[in-house]
Amino acid sequence: MSTKDYSYGIPDHPITYDKIDPRFIKFDSRAQRNLNKARAMAIAEKLVPTALGTPIISQREDGQYAVDGMHRVYACQLLLAGKVTVSDEVLQAVQSITCEVHSDLSMANEASLFIIKNKESSKVGPNDEFRIGVLVPHQATFAPS
């Protein structure tokens, strides 16, 4: 029996997938968790642009706000502000990121969307990480002789 509760409602509304400059995405902790800057810095230091995923944004009258993916968006902002040294290739890749943009949502709708998206996900447990991780090629940390 599933313990996930999907009783949170969100009305039909426009959704688009747009390329957005992450520097202009804002954050509002009223409808999601608080920004953990140390967590975002750790993400920025190891960011793999092709694994960034698709942050969820709410288009409000006064701008675009992260609803889900806030730490990944802030990591991109840190990179673009030069707070973390990365390759030019990574910097180029985060200049514009694909986001799922929701329009015409109330603050309550944004909160519902955040809860639903985060209840759907579950962390990878240590056993699964080990089992799946054996497939990942690991780079040697020493020069061959």
Side-chain angles (χ1 to χ4, degrees), residues 2 22 26-27 63 82 88 101 117:
S2 175
K26 302 174 186 180
F27 309 105
D88 289 340
V101 182
K117 289 294 187 177

Side-chain angles (χ1 to χ4, degrees), residues 13 28 47-48 51 54 60 84 93 95 105 114 122 131 135 140:
H13 60 281
D28 184 345
L47 187 76
V48 177
T54 309
R60 297 183 189 171
V84 179
Q95 293 286 323
L105 293 179
F114 172 80
S122 60
R131 180 182 59 79
L135 296 175

Side-chain angles (χ1 to χ4, degrees), residues 4-140:
K4 297 183 191 293
D5 177 8
Y6 293 103
S7 62
Y8 300 96
I10 302 172
D12 286 339
H13 60 281
I15 302 169
T16 59
Y17 291 85
D18 302 325
K19 289 287 225 175
I20 298 175
D21 183 336
R23 292 173 285 200
F24 298 109
I25 297 173
K26 302 174 186 180
F27 309 105
D28 184 345
S29 62
R30 292 178 295 170
Q32 65 163 295
R33 64 178 60 97
N34 291 316
L35 177 65
N36 178 332
K37 291 183 178 182
R39 178 177 174 214
M41 179 62 81
I43 292 169
E45 290 169 346
K46 298 178 182 177
L47 187 76
V48 177
T50 54
L52 184 64
T54 309
I56 298 173
I57 306 298
S58 179
Q59 179 66 56
R60 297 183 189 171
E61 287 183 13
D62 66 332
Q64 296 169 321
Y65 288 81
V67 172
D68 191 55
M70 168 178 61
H71 290 93
R72 291 173 284 148
V73 169
Y74 192 72
C76 291
Q77 291 177 350
L78 290 170
L79 293 173
L80 293 169
K83 304 291 185 185
V84 179
T85 303
V86 294
S87 70
D88 289 340
E89 188 175 89
V90 170
L91 277 180
Q92 184 60 38
V94 299
Q95 293 286 323
S96 179
I97 60 175
T98 301
C99 296
E100 179 180 305
V101 182
H102 293 248
S103 299
D104 302 333
L105 293 179
S106 67
M107 181 68 66
N109 297 150
E110 287 181 19
S112 291
L113 182 58
F114 172 80
I115 290 171
I116 290 167
K117 289 294 187 177
N118 283 277
K119 280 186 163 237
E120 286 178 352
S121 64
S122 60
K123 300 290 181 198
V124 177
N127 290 337
D128 286 333
E129 183 175 356
F130 174 78
R131 180 182 59 79
I132 297 164
V134 298
L135 296 175
V136 178
H138 297 280
Q139 296 180 353

